[in-house]
Amino acid sequence: MGTNGTISGAAVLAAAGSLLDEIRYPADLRRLPRESLRQVADELRQELVQLGSQIGGHFAGSLGTVELTVAMHYVFDTPDDRIIFDVGHQAYGHKFLTGRRERMHRIKKGDGPSGFLRRSESEYDVFGAGHAGTSVSAGLGIAEAVSRAGGDRRSVVVLGDGAATSGMTYEAFNHAGEIGSPVLVVFNDNGMSIAPNVGGLSRSDRAKHYFESLGMDYTGPIDGHDVDALVAELGEMREAKRPTVLHIKTRKGRGYAPAEADPFGWHATSSFDIETGRRGAVPAAEPAPKPAPNWTTVFAKVLEKIADRDERVVAITAAMPDGTGLDKFAKAHPDRVYDVGIAEQHGVTFAAGLATEGLRPVCAIYSTFLQRAFDQVVHDVALQKLPVVFAMDRAGLVGADGPTHHGVLDIAYLRVIPGMTIAAPRNPVELQRLLATALEGDGPFAVRYPRGTAPEMELEDDPQPIEIGKGEVLRDGSDVALIAIGKAVDEAHAAADKLAEAGVSAAVIDARFIKPLDENLIVEMAERCGRIVTIEDHGVQGGFGSAVLETLARRGVRADVRCLGIADTFVDHGDTDDQWRQQGIDAGSIADSARALIDSSSSDVPRWPAATTRLTQRTSV
């Protein structure tokens, strides 16, 4: 440790032979004298910085909970006593102390630990979490179940990193005060979620009155980096018989100067040089390469261009201004962005209210998080036919963040909503055109786009709307039609090249719209080719392919159809390209599926005029 409490590279390298080497599980920690805990915390922080420098990850939140993590595992008899972390951004230190230290260098890799809490990974991960705001509800349920069974194990919740802004958290607190089960809540108040916190509870001077008015006991605030004070307060809390809150004040990024100075920017990070804080593997003497464009940045630029011309456009985020690109949009239009906190339900209905008065709200919410506001999308937006635009970032497979963050259900849950339009761009220009289309519409409109690098191309100065429900033939063919959406269109193109080398003529169609479909184009391709392969970065069940099958059945068109997409499973964390290969939606797999479909089809696939088709279909899914 340096004199200012921050970590130097030399301190990290001097950690060999540490007390941490003696700790494999919390029981080992509890055998140490209390006066050793400060050293354990210092060593754990050093190891977290070393890990972060090598592989990145959710970094600043875990640095801020080092002392708390050590103190909780020292005071409570884990895993018999239950510790429930909200989300998992704060739990890397917890993983180090619970048998996973040797594998932490592989965190978020296919063969390593999850970046979040996962029950199947460790008995110390009491409740799986990747979406914020679930901890108090789960902890209260555990406390009530223990009370009903006459047990004495404790249920300890670590509420922090923005989860206190979640509407679900408020609901749980209200219920806790009502039923009185002894859930023990550590309110880790670091003033941040991913971005700075918003809302009344972010004011610590209001916290005591808030909690006590709900019938909960309250202590604090205390210094959350004073391990001795934490042990003392947690020891008293351990004996509580009622719902109790311990309010602690911490600094996100504690102990590493660059992260303390910019906890927003260091919430999640790539690898970095410990001494300089420089991120990435480029040596300091070399100029950093120009970063490739990503879909989030493109969305922000597109929305800014549209908002420059249309003063009705406003944007809404649920505590994710950086993740959705709205932090960049806000630089151009600071008075036209609303951060509602981790409260997707409120955000959607708030947008509906804005729309009733003539504004054009854009809800920029990850696909996986929009799930949390399904009823609001149905009841408050679609039923009232309000022009709210849903910009769904991270649609499809997202790689290292894994099953809690994959956006592979949105087509299914939105497609069933009457009046909903759903589209997916294959490139930035198409995103630009589709957003222009959405903001010209008169009803709910969802645009889904993936995580990661976008094709590099110039944006249009004046993008024109696209005819709703109109697909595009990008390559003609006669043997099989590859009909894809979004990012999968490029894979379909590459597959068509492979098929051409084998003498197979494959058409490539960018459907653009999932709802409404370009039914005439789909029917035309089915009758011309007799064979269709649909490709989507979404679950096969209820997805784009299902919509194509329904169309063919309704129109009475007989064709051999194979639907490619995400299997009926939760896809594990790992590399995105590997995930696409495993799910059979990369170019090579698409070409193989198309050849298999042709081989299994009749050598003379019938092509019937639409007027004489029968209401039957053959499918191979």
Side-chain angles (χ1 to χ4, degrees), residues 1 139 148 157 163 246 323 365 418 547:
M1 283 284 186
R148 292 179 67 89
V157 168
L246 171 61
I365 300 175

Side-chain angles (χ1 to χ4, degrees), residues 80 136 613:
D80 189 57
V136 182
T613 54

Side-chain angles (χ1 to χ4, degrees), residues 277-291:
R278 183 182 174 88
R279 302 191 211 193
V282 181
E286 296 181 15
K290 179 184 177 182

